[in-house]
């Protein structure tokens, strides 16, 4: 998996407008990366390798349910149903993409002694590489390891640009490894004034700290970190126009609402379409928005679409990046935004039984999207359920929901196409929540142990 030959890109300065740049030459040997510009090019390649296609996690979550068109897309139908073989194929590709990005980041982090023009820009690049590597390893931990317990198996650590046969860290060791990188990365990025939104930003890295605290159930720390971010931008989008602007964000400077976007080079919702007849998936009926909700015409849109027969009805299709079915404009995926900081804070308050504060914060959100506030303080369990339902609706179609569902340790439903009837249940205890370590990793690294439930076969 790990290659010693790295692909460099044409020179990309931190003031460039995208990561869409052409291959120019191959770099062999870490010592050739000896300027800030070359390091930035390698950093850009690491971002381009990220496996952030929207469907990967959304299709496995509760955000959407299938229309009849899924019957004509057997691979998609199998993936939606969590078919083991289909999952292995997809998740193996995700693993390879993450470790390809890590290879490029390791090339940057192992070349500091060769950089001739060390200065503020170099230290920002180094910090950004560390923060992105921390983000990647946190993703890997959530996907390829069981729910958090310090002694459970964690990530496969790789720090050099050569084949490594390391055994898996424990989850406790993995968190310590991730936090060490993130702490240094944040320190190096702080104070840099030319950051661009298509690289992980300082606010996004700080939000990652809060996510990690939530993940390990350190709720006081999660509260403190999230509160710091929220205090910088306490006002949430509260009009359809301000909310729609999140998904059309074209500026390259981070804003109070947008922390980090990914240059996907395509409409992020395009994967849901099937020709001219409609979408494979529609909004889960439990996640549909009321007509009075600010997000009614933004997070979803209505499209007249046939069912299994001659009946035509208005389906609720996933919006945000699309205003209507014929909208083909390319968008950048929002990976980190201010609203998530509010929800991290809200969850940390609920789990600490600070129910008055949590209720006030939840009502602040509900009012911002033009929904009725809840009238009284509920029990922790009821407030937890209300919060989770609202979070799933707010982040519909985003990567966050799948990670939350696994972390919350809940069962989820698969639906029969064109029906609200249950096809199957993926129980919280199902081994498929923890993805399989790819066969190639097991084959070439005898120190890596496969996850429970998966056989060591290709």
């Amino acid at each position: 998996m790990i290659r010693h030959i790295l692909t460099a890109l044409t020179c990309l300065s931190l003031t460039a407008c995208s990561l869409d740049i052409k291959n120019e030459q191959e770099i062999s040997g870490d010592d050739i990366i000896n300027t800030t510009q070359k390091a930035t090019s390698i950093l850009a390649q690491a971002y381009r390798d990220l496996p952030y296609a929207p469907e990967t996690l959304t299709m496995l979550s509760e955000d959407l349910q299938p229309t009849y068109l899924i019957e004509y897309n057997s691979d998609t139908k199998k993936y939606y149903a969590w078919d083991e073989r289909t999952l292995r194929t997809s998740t193996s590709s995700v693993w390879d993409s993450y470790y390809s990005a890590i290879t490029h980041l390791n090339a940057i982090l192992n070349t500091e002694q060769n950089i001739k023009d060390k200065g503020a820009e170099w230290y920002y690049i180094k910090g950004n590489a560390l923060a992105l590597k921390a983000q990647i390893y946190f993703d890997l931990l959530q996907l390829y390891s069981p729910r958090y317990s310090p002694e459970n198996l964690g990530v496969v650590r790789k720090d050099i640009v050569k084949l490594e046969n390391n055994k898996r860290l424990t989850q406790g060791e993995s968190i310590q490894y991730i936090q060490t990188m993130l702490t240094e990365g944040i320190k190096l990025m702080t104070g840099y004034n030319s950051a661009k939104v298509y690289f992980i930003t300082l606010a996004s890295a700080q939000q990652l700290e809060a996510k990690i605290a939530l993940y390990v159930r350190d709720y006081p720390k999660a509260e403190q970190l999230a509160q710091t971010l929220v205090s910088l931008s306490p006002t949430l989008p509260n009009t359809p126009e301000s909310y729609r602007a999140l998904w059309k964000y074209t500026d390259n400077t981070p804003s109070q609402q947008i922390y980090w976007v990914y240059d996907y080079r395509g409409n992020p919702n395009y994967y849901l379409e099937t020709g001219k007849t409609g979408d494979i998936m529609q909004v889960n009926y439990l996640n549909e928005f009321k007509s009075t909700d600010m997000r009614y015409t933004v997070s979803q849109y209505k499209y007249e679409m046939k069912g299994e027969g001659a009946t035509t009805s208005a389906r609720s299709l996933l919006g945000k990046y699309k205003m209507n079915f014929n909208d083909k404009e390319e968008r950048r995926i929002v990976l980190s935004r201010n609203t998530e900081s509010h929800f991290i804070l809200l969850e940390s308050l609920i789990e600490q039984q600070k129910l008055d504060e949590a209720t006030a914060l939840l009502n602040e959100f509900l009012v911002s999207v033009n929904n009725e506030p809840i009238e009284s303080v509920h029990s922790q369990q009821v407030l937890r359920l209300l919060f989770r339902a609202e979070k799933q609706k707010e982040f519909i179609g985003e990567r966050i929901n799948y990670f939350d569902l696994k972390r919350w340790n809940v069962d989820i439903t698969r639906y029969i196409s064109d029906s609200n009837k249950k096809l199957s249940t993926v129980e919280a205890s199902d081994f498929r929540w923890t993805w399989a370590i790819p066969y190639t990793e097991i084959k070439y690294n005898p120190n890596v142990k496969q996850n429970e439930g998966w056989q060591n076969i290709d």
Side-chain angles (χ1 to χ4, degrees):
M1 179 200 314
I2 302 296
R3 299 177 180 176
H4 197 59
I5 298 178
L6 304 175
T7 303
L9 306 175
T10 54
C11 175
L12 173 70
S13 73
L14 290 176
T15 57
C17 62
S18 95
L19 302 180
D20 188 13
I21 44 187
K22 299 178 180 179
N23 293 342
E24 184 183 67
Q25 58 181 326
E26 289 185 337
I27 294 179
S28 179
D30 300 345
D31 60 328
I32 297 181
I33 307 173
N34 55 10
T35 67
T36 298
Q37 290 181 334
K38 289 181 180 180
T40 306
S41 293
I42 300 301
L43 179 62
Q45 183 61 54
Y47 278 92
R48 295 307 302 273
D49 284 345
L50 295 175
Y52 283 172
E55 67 269 28
T56 304
L57 297 181
T58 298
M59 292 290 288
L60 300 177
S61 74
E62 289 187 316
D63 294 7
L64 311 170
Q65 61 189 91
T67 70
Y68 79 99
L69 291 172
I70 203 171
E71 303 299 330
Y72 303 100
N73 294 266
S74 59
D75 289 342
T76 302
K77 183 178 180 180
K78 290 177 182 178
Y79 190 70
Y80 169 76
W82 289 48
D83 174 74
E84 289 182 39
R85 185 176 292 275
T86 307
L87 274 176
R88 287 196 76 139
T89 299
S90 175
T91 60
S92 178
S93 174
V94 170
W95 174 282
D96 289 345
S97 295
Y98 273 129
Y99 275 101
S100 178
I102 287 171
T103 300
H104 290 91
L105 297 174
N106 285 343
I108 295 169
L109 297 172
N110 283 283
T111 198
E112 183 167 13
Q113 70 277 10
N114 302 308
I115 299 296
K116 300 174 181 177
D117 54 343
K118 289 188 181 74
E121 189 167 304
W122 159 251
Y123 290 110
Y124 175 77
I125 293 167
K126 179 183 176 182
N128 198 275
L130 285 165
L132 180 59
K133 190 175 176 182
Q135 174 69 63
I136 290 171
Y137 270 112
F138 187 54
D139 285 354
L140 288 167
L141 182 64
Q142 294 176 94
L143 295 172
Y144 295 91
S145 295
R147 294 178 184 87
Y148 183 71
S149 181
E151 69 278 1
N152 281 342
L153 288 175
V155 302
V156 181
R157 176 176 176 172
K158 301 194 178 184
D159 292 320
I160 60 176
V161 194
K162 293 179 182 178
L163 185 65
E164 294 183 79
N165 292 324
N166 299 325
K167 67 178 183 178
R168 296 175 68 178
L169 301 176
T170 66
Q171 289 189 7
E173 291 168 339
S174 300
I175 289 296
Q176 184 177 15
Y177 174 55
I178 292 166
Q179 287 178 325
T180 298
M181 289 187 290
L182 190 55
T183 298
E184 185 180 357
I186 288 172
K187 181 179 179 181
L188 291 170
M189 288 195 294
T190 299
Y192 188 77
N193 297 320
S194 299
K196 299 302 173 186
V197 75
Y198 48 77
F199 284 167
I200 193 169
T201 63
L202 179 62
S204 185
Q206 291 169 329
Q207 188 184 79
L208 178 56
E209 284 188 304
K211 289 182 184 180
I212 292 169
L214 205 62
Y215 178 76
V216 301
R217 298 183 287 276
D218 186 349
Y219 299 118
K221 183 177 181 180
E223 177 190 356
Q224 180 265 315
L225 292 167
Q227 183 63 68
T228 298
L229 285 168
V230 168
S231 66
L232 297 175
S233 183
T235 303
L236 294 166
N238 53 21
T239 65
E241 293 73 25
S242 63
Y243 195 72
R244 185 174 286 113
L246 299 177
W247 319 110
K248 290 184 171 184
Y249 195 74
T250 57
D251 198 350
N252 290 317
T253 303
S255 72
Q256 288 187 325
Q257 298 298 333
I258 296 293
Y259 296 170
W260 178 26
V261 299
Y262 180 62
D263 218 346
Y264 184 59
R265 293 193 310 166
N267 191 313
N269 299 146
Y270 183 75
Y271 71 95
L272 294 170
E273 295 184 13
T274 307
K276 299 179 180 179
T277 57
D279 283 0
I280 295 173
M281 307 290 288
Q282 62 186 334
V283 173
N284 187 316
Y285 78 101
L286 297 173
N287 291 331
E288 288 190 51
F289 298 89
K290 299 177 182 178
S291 59
T292 54
D293 194 302
M294 181 187 78
R295 300 162 295 181
Y296 181 76
T297 58
V298 182
S299 292
Q300 65 180 20
Y301 64 92
K302 299 294 182 177
Y303 183 70
E304 289 289 332
M305 183 176 154
K306 289 184 178 180
E308 284 190 90
T311 305
T312 300
S313 61
R315 308 294 186 103
S316 296
L317 303 185
L318 182 60
K320 292 188 174 177
Y321 301 100
K322 293 175 66 174
M323 296 182 63
N324 55 62
F325 187 76
N326 294 314
D327 185 356
K328 299 296 190 294
E329 184 176 349
E330 294 185 359
R331 312 277 192 201
R332 298 186 297 188
I333 301 173
V334 176
L335 294 178
S336 180
R337 56 189 176 102
N338 180 49
T339 304
E340 188 180 0
S341 298
H342 281 254
F343 273 91
I344 293 170
L345 177 57
L346 179 52
E347 184 171 358
S348 68
L349 292 172
I350 292 172
E351 296 306 323
Q352 293 178 85
Q353 301 233 33
K354 297 182 177 182
L355 303 184
D356 289 329
E357 293 176 63
T359 300
L361 191 62
L362 178 58
N363 280 338
E364 182 183 330
F365 169 76
L366 291 171
V367 170
S368 76
V369 295
N370 201 32
N371 283 343
E372 290 294 322
I374 58 178
E375 295 181 357
S376 60
V377 176
H378 295 278
S379 69
Q380 182 190 43
Q381 179 59 15
V382 170
L383 198 56
R384 184 186 286 133
L385 293 173
L386 290 170
F387 150 76
R388 289 179 178 181
E390 289 300 329
K391 188 173 185 184
Q392 285 189 262
K393 288 180 68 173
E394 170 60 20
F395 292 95
I396 189 169
E398 301 181 51
R399 305 175 77 244
I400 300 167
N401 277 348
Y402 177 83
F403 291 126
D404 280 344
L405 289 169
K406 180 176 179 178
R407 183 169 55 83
W408 292 337
N409 199 26
V410 296
D411 300 344
I412 64 170
T413 299
R414 304 288 87 184
Y415 293 92
I416 297 171
S417 60
D418 263 358
S419 171
N420 294 337
K421 296 180 180 179
K422 183 187 296 185
L423 171 68
S424 62
T425 298
V426 181
E427 296 181 353
S429 59
D430 195 301
F431 74 91
R432 292 171 294 178
W433 281 104
T434 302
W435 290 359
I437 305 296
Y439 170 75
T440 50
E441 185 68 28
I442 300 290
K443 180 179 179 180
Y444 294 109
N445 185 354
N447 294 317
V448 169
K449 184 179 179 181
Q450 183 58 274
N451 288 319
E452 185 177 347
W454 298 99
Q455 296 181 347
N456 286 332
I457 57 174
D458 195 0

